[in-house]
């Protein structure tokens, strides 16, 4: 570890300029990343109508980006070892912005999808490295609080991307909606590079291929960790499917809402900013597995309630399943690191891989169920994934379940 002039580097502490710059920089990195990643979600009905595509094809705008991110998190984790965390994250965000601009101007839908895949791969550098960078540069006693600030940036970024793109897209077209978010992401990326302090708690180094494979394989041999990774795969898959096709449901019978109004449903994302830290506190008191089970059951109940043909039921139901999902995700993602047997960074990357791979697969497949059985088809697919996740979580056996 690097040393400062007064001895071993202990990390930035709250109240210091370095601490404030680090948190603001990472907050903006989270906004830039997740605003771009999910900005097409509120535009999917427009994209579908403009290009004459079925809902499942339009949803490839999300699925291919999250697939790219899933493929990118593990390589970016090693790029961060070699280049340094901040430098690698800067390259990742700026490359993603360039790919996003290319996607906006591509005339054919195939070209748009190709650049969305590349954009997602580039964006993988932020979730792969942000928390490692934070933990290395912040005083250990303040790390949990600092991590919460970064997570809030990812939540608000995802929300902002959806809320900004849809109204602009409704007036000027979906490409203009995406461009608006990209311009904001570029500003956030530049601010991150200017604000975030240079690393003092980490020295870049080479990682051998043998060492990389050993760390990944060791975690994959743990049955408990495989179950934890499956939580991200199954729950995120169902969650993204619900949000991908909820706009189609609310724009059709019996609701017939305009897209600008439908986009406001994404405000329910704010439920996650409350339930995520709550789940962490409850897991510390009662153990991870009970909180994970209750959170997943809550998500499942909320999903089922969206079948009721009344806005007075559907809108609260969206808040319930959103809050339940983020609570479950907060527990499972933390558990992936705590239960690691061969490298915490690699275990977190494997969880992220499953998380975004599930988003890609089931985010698309939910549209197939929508085409075949309407909104109940998408709902029942999501419920099936949640029930499977519940069953697997019931049998988790880990020495870290109570911590």
């Amino acid at each position: 570890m690097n040393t400062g002039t007064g001895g071993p580097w202990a990390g930035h502490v709250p109240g210091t300029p370095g601490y404030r710059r680090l948190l603001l920089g990472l907050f903006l990195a989270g906004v830039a990343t997740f605003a771009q990643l999910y900005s097409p979600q509120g535009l999917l009905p427009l994209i579908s109508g403009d290009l004459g595509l079925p809902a499942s094809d339009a949803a490839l705008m999300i699925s291919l980006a999250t697939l790219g991110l899933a493929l990118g998190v593990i390589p970016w984790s090693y790029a961060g070892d070699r280049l340094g965390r901040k430098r690698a994250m800067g390259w990742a965000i700026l490359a993603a912005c360039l790919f996003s601009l290319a996607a906006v101007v591509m005339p054919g839908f195939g070209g748009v999808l190709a650049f969305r895949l590349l954009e997602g791969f580039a964006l993988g550098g932020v979730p792969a490295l942000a928390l490692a960078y934070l933990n290395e540069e912040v005083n250990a006693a303040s790390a949990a609080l600092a991590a919460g600030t970064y997570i809030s940036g990812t939540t608000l970024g995802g929300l902002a991307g959806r809320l900004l793109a849809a109204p602009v897209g409704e007036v000027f077209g979906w490409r203009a909606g995406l461009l608006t978010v990209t311009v904001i992401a570029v500003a956030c990326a530049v601010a991150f590079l200017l604000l975030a302090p240079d690393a003092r708690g980490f020295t870049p180094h080479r990682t051998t291929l043998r060492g990389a494979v050993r760390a990944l394989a060791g975690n994959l041999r743990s049955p408990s960790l495989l179950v934890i990774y499956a939580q991200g795969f199954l729950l995120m898959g169902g969650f993204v499917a619900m949000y991908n096709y909820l706009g189609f449901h609310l724009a059709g019978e019996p609701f017939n809402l305009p897209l600008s109004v439908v986009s406001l449903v994404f405000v329910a994302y704010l439920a996650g900013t409350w339930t995520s830290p709550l789940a962490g506190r409850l897991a510390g008191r009662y153990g991870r597995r009970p909180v994970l089970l209750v959170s997943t059951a809550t998500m499942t109940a909320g999903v089922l309630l969206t079948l009721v043909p009344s806005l007075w039921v559907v809108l609260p139901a969206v808040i319930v399943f959103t809050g339940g999902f983020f609570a479950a995700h907060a527990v499972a993602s933390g558990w992936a690191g705590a239960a690691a047997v061969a490298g915490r960074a690699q275990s977190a990357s494997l969880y992220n891989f499953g998380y975004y791979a599930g988003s890609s697969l089931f985010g698309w497949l939910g549209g197939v169920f929508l085409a075949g059985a309407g909104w109940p088809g998408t709902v029942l697919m999501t419920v099936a994934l949640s029930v499977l996740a519940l069953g697997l979580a019931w049998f988790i056996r880990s020495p870290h379940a109570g911590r």
Side-chain angles (χ1 to χ4, degrees), residues 91-233:
W91 279 112
I93 301 174
L94 291 176
C97 290
L98 291 175
F99 290 137
S100 179
L101 288 171
V104 168
V105 301
M106 287 298 294
F109 190 58
V112 173
L113 293 181
F115 278 104
R116 282 290 290 171
L117 178 68
L118 292 172
E119 181 183 353
F121 186 91
L123 288 173
V126 176
L129 299 171
L131 291 178
Y133 173 48
L134 185 149
N135 282 311
E136 290 156 0
E137 303 302 324
V138 169
N139 183 270
S142 308
L145 176 62
T149 303
Y150 164 70
I151 296 299
S152 70
T154 68
T155 304
L156 292 177
L159 174 62
R162 294 165 168 98
L163 290 182
L164 290 171
V168 173
E170 191 169 34
V171 177
F172 300 105
W174 60 269
R175 292 179 187 272
L178 294 180
L179 180 60
T180 300
V181 174
T182 301
V183 170
I184 293 171
V186 169
C188 289
V190 172
F192 162 74
L193 290 172
L194 294 175
L195 286 169
D198 292 333
R200 295 176 61 187
F202 176 80
T203 301
H205 61 273
R206 291 173 178 261
T207 301
T208 66
L209 179 60
R210 178 177 295 180
V213 171
R214 186 184 302 117
L216 293 172
N219 287 315
L220 289 172
R221 282 195 291 267
S222 166
S224 295
L225 281 172
L226 290 177
V227 170
I228 294 168
Y229 303 152
Q231 301 300 303
F233 178 75

Side-chain angles (χ1 to χ4, degrees), residues 174-385:
W174 60 269
R175 292 179 187 272
L178 294 180
L179 180 60
T180 300
V181 174
T182 301
V183 170
I184 293 171
V186 169
C188 289
V190 172
F192 162 74
L193 290 172
L194 294 175
L195 286 169
D198 292 333
R200 295 176 61 187
F202 176 80
T203 301
H205 61 273
R206 291 173 178 261
T207 301
T208 66
L209 179 60
R210 178 177 295 180
V213 171
R214 186 184 302 117
L216 293 172
N219 287 315
L220 289 172
R221 282 195 291 267
S222 166
S224 295
L225 281 172
L226 290 177
V227 170
I228 294 168
Y229 303 152
Q231 301 300 303
F233 178 75
L234 296 168
L235 295 179
M236 179 60 165
F239 179 73
V240 168
M242 291 293 290
Y243 269 105
N244 275 358
Y245 304 108
L246 185 61
F248 292 92
H249 179 51
L250 295 177
E253 295 291 344
F255 307 109
N256 297 311
L257 297 178
L259 188 63
S260 56
V261 175
V262 169
S263 67
L264 294 177
V265 78
F266 293 118
V267 174
Y269 248 63
L270 294 176
T273 65
W274 177 69
T275 60
S276 295
L278 175 63
R281 290 194 296 270
L282 292 175
R285 181 180 302 176
Y286 300 109
R288 288 189 174 94
R289 189 165 74 114
V291 178
L292 178 60
L293 291 171
V294 171
S295 300
T296 305
T298 300
M299 174 184 169
T300 307
V303 169
L304 285 170
L305 285 172
T306 65
L307 291 171
V308 179
S310 167
L311 276 179
W312 295 104
V313 177
V314 171
L315 296 182
V318 173
I319 295 172
V320 170
F321 83 68
T322 301
F325 165 76
F326 277 109
H329 169 50
V331 173
S333 60
W335 204 347
V341 295
R344 291 191 177 189
Q346 285 69 37
S347 183
S349 292
L350 287 168
Y351 177 85
N352 279 323
F353 174 82
Y355 185 80
Y356 290 107
S359 169
S360 301
L361 175 60
F362 297 112
W364 166 78
L365 193 58
V368 176
F369 280 89
L370 182 74
W375 182 245
T378 303
V379 167
L380 292 178
M381 182 202 79
T382 303
V383 169
L385 296 175

